[in-house]
């Protein structure tokens, strides 16, 4: 059995004998910020194409596979567009028996789901 070793640099607090809890919490928060996902900003052309695809799916009652940012990481959802709220810039989606509201600003990508 091969043993893996973690360098002192990678595991600073595990190798130190005396660490204040406040310092450890601060270190953990710093590491979380470093690994936080930052969604890409879409340009006007991408937003227009995304809007057109959502409108097309709404008109044809097709299922869309949406990639959106949930505040922490990108997520995927396959759903049917039930309602487009233009004033609030959000979509009402039906995924099976569940209903979801999704802000248009959180959308990263959309594609029509392949028909079965």
């Amino acid at each position: 059995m091969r043993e893996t070793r973690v360098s002192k640099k990678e595991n600073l607090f595990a190798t130190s004998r005396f660490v204040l809890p406040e310092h450890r919490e601060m270190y953990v928060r710093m590491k979380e910020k470093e690994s936080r996902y930052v969604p890409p900003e879409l340009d006007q052309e991408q937003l227009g194409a995304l809007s057109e695809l959502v409108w097309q799916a709404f008109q044809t009652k097709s299922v869309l596979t949406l990639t959106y940012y949930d505040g922490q990481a990108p997520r995927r959802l396959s759903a049917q567009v039930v309602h487009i709220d233009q004033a609030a810039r959000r979509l009402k989606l039906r995924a099976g028996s569940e209903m979801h509201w999704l802000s248009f600003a959180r959308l990263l990508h959309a594609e029509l789901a392949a028909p079965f």
Side-chain angles (χ1 to χ4, degrees):
M1 193 189 285
R2 189 174 159 197
E3 187 177 317
T4 57
R5 292 207 144 151
V6 178
S7 72
K8 286 183 180 182
K9 232 180 195 180
E10 292 175 9
N11 199 355
L12 179 66
F13 290 105
T15 60
S16 178
R17 290 181 183 231
F18 302 105
V19 176
L20 294 174
E22 304 87 48
H23 293 162
R24 183 181 187 297
E25 289 172 18
M26 181 179 66
Y27 178 76
V28 169
R29 279 195 308 269
M30 282 178 14
K31 287 297 180 185
E32 285 175 358
K33 282 183 184 177
E34 287 176 6
S35 65
R36 191 172 290 157
Y37 174 79
V38 178
E41 287 195 31
L42 303 178
D43 62 19
Q44 290 299 320
E45 187 176 313
Q46 291 169 318
L47 288 172
L50 193 60
S51 178
E52 185 66 33
L53 193 58
V54 168
W55 180 251
Q56 179 186 353
F58 176 66
Q59 291 293 317
T60 61
K61 299 189 184 330
S62 301
V63 174
L64 272 178
T65 300
L66 300 166
T67 304
Y68 64 97
Y69 176 62
D70 75 347
Q72 295 179 352
R75 303 275 185 230
R76 290 178 63 91
L77 175 68
S78 290
Q80 182 181 15
V81 180
V82 177
H83 178 70
I84 299 174
D85 185 349
Q86 292 180 352
R89 296 188 42 82
R90 63 185 184 158
L91 306 171
K92 185 175 185 179
L93 306 164
R94 177 183 298 129
S97 62
E98 297 180 12
M99 297 298 250
H100 302 272
W101 282 99
L102 183 62
S103 170
F104 196 79
R106 291 191 177 264
L107 289 180
L108 301 173
H109 181 72
E111 57 191 44
L112 288 172
F116 295 103

